Amino acid sequence: MSLWLCLRFHQLPLQCLNRSEELAVAILVKQRVLRANDYAAGLGIREGMGAGTVRALLDNEAVQLLERDTTAEAQCLQQLCCWAYSITPSLHPYREDCLQLEIGSCLSLFRGLHRLLAEVRVGISNRGFRVEYGLAETPGAAWLLSFSDTDQVADYQNPLRDRLAPLPLSLLTEHVTAVDSLRRAGLHTFGCLFALPPAALARRCGAGFTEFLQQVLGQQADLRPDYQPPVNFSDEYWFGYEVRVNDELLPAVQLLLQSMCRFLRNTQLQTTEIHWQLVGIDHSLREICVRSTSGHSHWENWYQLTLIRFDQLELKTGVEGLNLACHQLHSGQLENIDLFSPRTQREPLSGLLDRLRNRLGLQAVEKVGTRSEHLPELALHICQDNPANENGGQLHNQRPFWLMPAPQALDRKQGRLRWQGKLELVYGPERIEDNWWQQAVSRDYYIARGDGGQHYWVFRDRLDTGWYIHGIFA
Amino acid sequence: MNEALQQVINRSDTWQGPFSNHRLCSNSDRHGQGDILHSGYSTLDAQLHSGGWPRGSGIEVLSDGCGLGSMGLFLPAMEKLSAEGRWQVFIAPPFTPYAPLLKARGIDTEQVLLVHPKSREDLLWATEQALRSTTSSAVFSWLGAHNYSYTELRKLQLAASASDSLSVLFRPLDAARNHAPASLRLQMREYRRVHILKQRGGNQGLDVDLPPAEDVPEHPQLWEVPVWQESPQAQSAFSFA
């Protein structure tokens, strides 16, 4: 059985703009009050009053009169959709201020209607919204029942017609002419409406109204496209004042990361790169990119990595807003820590790598690998990721522990080689020749002993007859 | 006993000399006897009071130049730590470790991370991060010729004692004159000879010779130069030219 939960945010025009209850706030449309907060209602302000009346009522009180902002409402509703997506996959926004959630298919997931509604209530109150809800077999009826005072959970299994019967027809503001003609005929509630023969009703009120009524009663399908989560994540936080200290950014960072990770979990996606944008009070933008080698969906990991970057940050101008975006999302992969490892490893290996790279830069952390090559500098492979790991066969000859990035020329003085002191050849030569197809290399390697007893790996280039040092035995 | 005093005694980093028998395992070698990281040299193991390298406590190696065999000292330990599959971090290494050699000695080169910090602060930060992370089995850090205050070194020692990794700080010989919080300080002035400068709860102030007989056979020997086939002095360096 499909069961729809309609969440009606009556105060959405108000709550998406201002949630304070410390002074009277009213939202105006065409100089008429659309919504007012509790504080204003306590002072006698009602919906539909003119702006002049409001000012007259509150002669000495501070009052904030705001114009309605429908884009902010739509944005708010989108964010709520994003949250509600964690409850059910089939949902859509309805009218201007409602969400319709199909919950019949996820009752067993939540183990009952009571638990599901509790979850919804907690989610909405955390977001600071006030909500009325209705439960019915069709979205239209659920919306109508959200105006009812009865206990929805107790009687949602009663016949739909009985439940709708006491509701006034004046709720149907879209069908003004039909409702008007019915009112003139003495019909005020849905109960009276259902008592009429459907054919007579169609003749009196027109096809549009009949269709609506059939959808409400489930006699005709009410199909709407389901909400689809956005492809990219982007969210922002406005402080509303100037932030000059890095630490003051952190609560906003936490909030944004939590919302991102909720999005990632709902869409079962992961990201390896997040972009922070600091909006300065002079509208300057500052981009900070935080990378991670593995995608996580835990916000704590991202928070730690972001902290490393924000620690080093110097704010030149005050910050007014913070924007978080991830552009590249891919499907999730799990990296698990070995449960049976005898050691106390508590995080995946990439954790340390990410922290080091975020503070020191991508180039500052390298890995080493081996290639199957004769020339020592080619046999050693240094790179940022995925070093080669080829088998070079057994080493039977002397090789130093340290290899210099490039061979360095040795001084010659009085017929002796010098490198931080005199050098004395003690072992060799070992000839290494290779690379004849590109640039021929032919070297005779020796082990040399320095003044302090240190052993070096030196070679004589047979082509240019120069002497070079290439490694250190340590 | 005075409660404050008892708290000090209960700390794992308070050295209590020979009186600490009953709490020996809480004093710097808290991993007990079942988990000894042998150094690979019997003479050295005999002198180290835990029978091998202490884990979870700092080791300082003092040497000049590029370390006379100081890395060779840790190769056997690195090989054993490879089995743990965790990082072996090199922080500010003087050059690049020659990976084919590491591989020939049985070390998994994929675990080796080279970190190149740009400043002294980043060097200390990276060392502390690597030590504090549970994902590293060995941390080698070349602190270089900078001067470090006792508190900075103590911070590293505390990070080391909170982890179970092998932590080694390389410092120049001059540093021997200054006091340091590391529980084991070694000096290397020549190949095959380690001078134990300080060892908490063990012998100190003695030289340990590493016997050539214990070098891994069939593997490149690092410090023992084989016999020269022909006398090197017979040929001047320029006779090839």
Side-chain angles (χ1 to χ4, degrees), chain B:
Chain B
M1 198 184 289
N2 186 340
E3 195 180 325
L5 193 57
Q6 189 62 47
Q7 274 178 1
V8 172
I9 290 172
N10 286 342
R11 288 181 62 105
S12 66
D13 51 356
T14 305
W15 181 60
Q16 296 170 57
F19 307 106
S20 62
N21 290 338
H22 60 289
R23 59 175 88 244
L24 193 74
C25 62
S26 71
N27 190 359
S28 81
D29 65 334
R30 59 204 171 82
H31 295 286
Q33 300 298 306
D35 189 27
I36 298 166
L37 181 62
H38 290 291
S39 69
Y41 303 96
S42 61
T43 47
L44 189 58
D45 282 349
Q47 293 301 332
L48 295 173
H49 93 114
S50 56
W53 295 124
R55 297 183 76 153
S57 104
I59 304 170
E60 251 185 39
V61 177
L62 313 176
S63 66
D64 270 345
C66 294
L68 291 150
S70 52
M71 279 321 290
L73 201 57
F74 293 104
L75 279 177
M78 283 176 73
E79 183 193 342
K80 289 192 195 80
L81 291 173
S82 286
E84 292 181 8
R86 299 191 287 166
W87 298 120
Q88 306 199 11
V89 193
F90 287 58
I91 294 159
F95 300 103
T96 314
Y98 190 55
L101 174 92
L102 298 182
K103 199 168 175 178
R105 292 295 299 258
I107 296 161
D108 184 358
T109 52
E110 289 182 4
Q111 295 173 10
V112 175
L113 274 191
L114 308 182
V115 182
H116 307 288
K118 287 186 195 73
S119 65
R120 183 177 168 279
E121 280 66 40
D122 281 352
L123 172 59
L124 284 172
W125 179 85
T127 309
E128 199 187 329
Q129 281 293 320
L131 286 172
R132 285 203 185 279
S133 167
T134 53
T135 56
S136 49
S137 59
V139 179
F140 301 98
S141 181
W142 281 262
L143 293 182
H146 301 289
N147 277 321
Y148 292 95
S149 68
Y150 188 82
T151 33
E152 284 168 331
L153 294 170
R154 169 114 181 113
K155 218 171 156 187
L156 296 185
Q157 165 71 11
L158 282 179
S161 60
S163 78
D164 61 349
S165 52
L166 173 69
S167 76
V168 185
L169 307 177
F170 292 96
R171 301 184 65 200
L173 278 176
D174 308 347
R177 284 179 286 139
N178 300 328
H179 190 48
S183 64
L184 178 63
R185 299 184 87 194
L186 307 173
Q187 249 179 353
M188 295 203 71
R189 289 181 193 278
E190 55 187 300
Y191 287 103
R192 295 205 162 275
R193 173 163 296 175
V194 184
H195 179 72
I196 300 181
L197 191 68
K198 168 189 172 186
Q199 179 173 198
R200 203 159 56 195
N203 298 332
Q204 50 190 30
L206 49 92
D207 283 328
V208 181
D209 287 316
L210 308 176
E214 291 185 11
D215 280 343
V216 186
E218 288 303 311
H219 271 293
Q221 308 298 297
L222 280 170
W223 335 342
E224 200 68 6
V225 175
V227 184
W228 179 263
Q229 298 95 336
E230 46 196 293
S231 169
Q233 267 73 28
Q235 294 173 312
S236 138
F238 298 103
S239 61
F240 308 101

Side-chain angles (χ1 to χ4, degrees), chain A residues 318-391:
Chain A
V319 174
E320 194 180 28
L322 194 61
N323 189 342
L324 171 66
C326 20
H327 307 305
Q328 289 173 331
L329 298 170
H330 22 82
S331 54
Q333 285 169 340
L334 283 177
E335 186 181 354
N336 291 324
I337 304 168
D338 188 356
L339 256 185
F340 302 102
S341 156
R343 296 285 152 204
T344 51
Q345 188 183 338
R346 281 189 297 270
E347 57 175 356
L349 280 180
S350 53
L352 176 65
L353 202 59
D354 292 341
R355 285 199 293 279
L356 292 173
R357 280 190 175 152
N358 267 301
R359 161 122 178 198
L360 307 174
L362 207 56
Q363 285 83 22
V365 184
E366 294 175 324
K367 294 180 182 175
V368 293
T370 54
R371 283 208 204 97
S372 172
E373 293 277 356
H374 286 297
L375 285 182
E377 60 262 45
L378 296 181
L380 172 65
H381 181 215
I382 308 171
C383 64
Q384 249 115 75
D385 256 316
N386 304 324
N389 192 3
E390 297 168 9
N391 267 322

